[in-house]
Amino acid sequence: MEENNNMTSYRQKCVDFGVHTNKFLLAKMDTREVEKMMAEQIREVGGSQWLYKDINKNMKNGIFDPFFLREHCNLYSWRETFFDAHFAGNSWFTVESDQYGEEEEDYFSWDDPFTRFITIPVQLALHFDAVLVLAAAKIEPELKWLKSHVFFRNDEIISNEAESKFKFEIMISDLHKPELVIPEGSLVGHSLKDHYDQVNLTFSDVAHIIVEMYQKGPKKLEELSIKTILQNNLSMEKLPLKIQKKVAHGMYAVEGRVPENITDEGKVIFEKIRKEFNKK
């Protein structure tokens, strides 16, 4: 029991140090540099400040937008590159959170794949405003060492959902997962449908991902029209109810046809996903 208390105490000391370091750095914000980085993000989503704000809000709230899927992924990719450039090497740390239990080992190593997985995505999606300020903090030369001791909290559940909704490579990887995964040493497996349920993606959401990743021809005029309406923030009150439903729930239904404007590989994956979502 004493050993566990010592471990918890050490963890808390690390957290306290990190929180105070971050607080100091956040107070040293370089406004001009932050504004420059914000402008770069806006350019990444096509130059629309309104669209950037909407995407940023969606990332914070874990909302998947099928009509601006690529723009969300482009911004997420930009943020990931930014994070790696400004917090390279052993310049940040995280600690074990309570969700892993007291008997689990502490996760400190910045280059451990699991540490990066549970930490970086949640920072890119939920806390990137703070990440920008921390990266741009303007401090005295003798205190620059503090920028090599930045503390980032982690959350495996939120990180998993963020990558599954906003990161191209993970979206494709998820589509290619086997229909049933049984972890080593376990008698119980989980299905691909279980994964999509965990990250709150519907069949229509996943279908939009497939069409985006395996597109070989133009999208439906109906979908392009909906995107234009949303992009220009036009009223949808006078639109047919059918279109309003697609705006709210996406273009695809599990009983619908396989889209014609995707590759043969995309069609195979579409049928695989349809089969998963049809399971009782």
Side-chain angles (χ1 to χ4, degrees):
M1 180 65 70
E2 182 179 352
E3 182 179 352
N4 282 339
N5 287 338
N6 288 338
M7 288 174 60
T8 303
S9 176
Y10 177 55
R11 178 178 66 181
Q12 192 58 51
K13 287 179 181 178
C14 291
V15 171
D16 290 344
F17 171 79
V19 168
H20 282 93
T21 298
N22 287 14
K23 185 177 180 180
F24 175 82
L25 293 174
L26 290 170
K28 299 291 183 177
M29 180 175 71
D30 186 333
T31 303
R32 182 176 296 180
E33 189 65 21
V34 170
E35 289 176 348
K36 176 183 173 184
M37 295 171 189
M38 288 291 295
E40 288 185 28
Q41 291 184 87
I42 292 170
R43 283 196 295 272
E44 196 64 32
V45 299
S48 168
Q49 189 171 7
W50 167 84
L51 182 57
Y52 168 77
K53 288 181 178 179
D54 199 55
I55 292 174
N56 189 50
K57 182 176 69 176
N58 287 344
M59 287 188 175
K60 286 178 180 291
N61 295 316
I63 296 173
F64 179 83
D65 185 338
F67 299 103
F68 293 94
L69 186 160
R70 188 162 292 275
E71 289 83 353
H72 281 70
C73 290
N74 286 345
L75 182 61
Y76 185 93
S77 178
W78 185 93
R79 289 180 172 186
E80 192 169 39
T81 300
F82 178 92
F83 187 97
D84 287 340
H86 289 80
F87 298 98
N90 193 24
S91 64
W92 61 274
F93 73 97
T94 190
V95 300
E96 165 200 346
S97 69
D98 293 337
Q99 73 185 95
Y100 303 111
E102 291 185 358
E103 295 183 1
E104 295 292 331
E105 65 174 309
D106 292 340
Y107 294 93
F108 288 105
S109 180
W110 66 271
D111 58 349
D112 176 74
F114 183 70
T115 300
R116 295 179 67 81
F117 163 65
I118 65 175
T119 308
I120 297 177
V122 69
Q123 299 303 320
L124 304 185
L126 267 67
H127 308 301
F128 198 71
D129 295 340
V131 170
L132 280 183
V133 176
L134 289 167
K138 197 171 185 179
I139 56 177
E140 297 79 3
E142 63 270 20
L143 294 177
K144 281 191 176 293
W145 63 272
L146 286 173
K147 296 189 76 170
S148 296
H149 295 77
V150 175
F151 169 61
F152 293 120
R153 296 187 185 276
N154 61 72
D155 190 303
E156 182 179 0
I157 294 173
I158 293 177
S159 287
N160 182 41
E161 186 168 343
E163 286 201 336
S164 295
K165 289 179 174 176
F166 308 127
K167 186 170 181 175
F168 280 123
E169 297 86 349
I170 299 303
M171 288 176 166
I172 295 174
S173 175
D174 285 346
L175 292 172
H176 286 87
K177 285 181 178 178
E179 295 176 19
L180 182 66
V181 176
I182 302 178
E184 186 177 351
S186 174
L187 298 177
V188 180
H190 60 269
S191 68
L192 186 54
K193 172 66 161 52
D194 291 334
H195 167 71
Y196 285 123
D197 286 345
Q198 288 170 1
V199 298
N200 299 302
L201 287 173
T202 66
F203 172 79
S204 184
D205 293 335
V206 181
H208 273 276
I209 292 171
I210 295 170
V211 172
E212 194 69 40
M213 302 302 175
Y214 295 95
Q215 184 179 344
K216 72 170 184 179
K219 293 181 179 178
K220 292 181 179 180
L221 182 59
E222 187 179 48
E223 181 174 351
L224 294 174
S225 299
I226 289 173
K227 184 169 182 176
T228 299
I229 290 169
L230 293 172
Q231 200 160 16
N232 290 282
N233 204 22
L234 301 176
S235 172
M236 292 180 284
E237 290 182 1
K238 295 183 180 180
L239 293 176
L241 185 59
K242 178 183 175 182
I243 300 298
Q244 292 186 41
K245 287 182 177 179
K246 289 186 176 181
V247 172
H249 304 294
M251 297 291 298
Y252 304 98
V254 71
E255 67 275 7
R257 294 181 178 180
V258 177
E260 291 296 325
N261 62 330
I262 57 177
T263 65
D264 290 341
E265 182 182 4
K267 291 176 181 179
V268 170
I269 294 174
F270 193 96
E271 288 290 9
K272 168 189 169 183
I273 297 300
R274 188 211 301 273
K275 179 181 175 184
E276 280 296 302
F277 277 84
N278 267 327
K279 289 179 179 178
K280 300 297 183 182

